[in-house]
């Protein structure tokens, strides 16, 4: 079974930047599509960004220009770079492994999440 462990969350000021990391183990990382989701208090989980095994990137429209995803296969790690953070970005951020069929991403493994809090 694949295990995913997020790190890098914390408290940041609005306008600041933060990079989340997700370390994967128990599988062949380089073969996976990886993605980040987030869940704000009282809201549903929402898709943030994904990266395919070949490096194709997608970021949800509302976060394009501020967030981006990357991966380092040698370290079995995927990253979420978050810039120009806003209080509404406050959420638990989850790393996932899944599949992408060219249209839709489907997660099949989830990490425990890491809290990101953006103060105003």
């Amino acid at each position: 079974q694949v295990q995913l462990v997020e790190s890098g969350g914390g408290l940041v000021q609005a306008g600041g930047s933060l990079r989340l990391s997700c370390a994967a183990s128990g599988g062949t990382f380089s073969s996976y599509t990886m993605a980040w989701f987030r869940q704000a208090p009282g809201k549903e989980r929402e898709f943030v960004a994904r990266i395919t095994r070949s490096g194709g990137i997608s970021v949800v429209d509302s976060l394009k220009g501020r967030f981006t995803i990357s991966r380092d296969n040698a370290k079995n790690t995927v990253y979420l770079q978050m810039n120009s953070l806003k209080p509404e970005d406050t959420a638990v951020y989850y790393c996932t492994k899944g599949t992408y069929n060219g249209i839709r991403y489907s997660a099949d493994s989830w990490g425990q999440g890491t809290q990101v809090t953006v103060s105003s």
Side-chain angles (χ1 to χ4, degrees):
Q1 296 185 6
V2 173
Q3 290 193 346
L4 305 171
V5 180
E6 302 96 336
S7 62
L11 176 64
V12 298
Q13 293 183 353
S17 298
L18 199 63
R19 188 175 76 162
L20 306 183
S21 298
C22 172
S25 62
T28 305
F29 178 80
S30 62
S31 70
Y32 302 147
T33 295
M34 306 292 293
W36 291 91
F37 289 72
R38 68 183 185 180
Q39 186 169 25
K43 296 186 177 181
E44 300 291 328
R45 283 180 176 174
E46 63 176 347
F47 169 80
V48 174
R50 64 107 177 105
I51 183 167
T52 68
R53 62 182 180 179
S54 62
I57 294 170
S58 181
V59 180
V60 68
D61 286 345
S62 61
L63 297 176
K64 287 181 179 176
R66 296 198 298 119
F67 286 23
T68 194
I69 189 171
S70 62
R71 68 192 297 161
D72 186 339
N73 288 343
K75 297 181 178 179
N76 288 354
T77 300
V78 64
Y79 304 96
L80 181 68
Q81 180 67 47
M82 306 183 293
N83 298 324
S84 301
L85 284 163
K86 303 175 180 179
E88 52 262 44
D89 295 321
T90 295
V92 177
Y93 285 73
Y94 296 91
C95 176
T96 73
K97 158 195 168 290
T99 57
Y100 178 64
N101 64 6
I103 300 173
R104 179 177 294 177
Y105 171 80
S106 297
D108 54 44
S109 297
W110 292 74
Q112 292 295 306
T114 186
Q115 176 71 46
V116 172
T117 302
V118 183
S119 64
S120 60

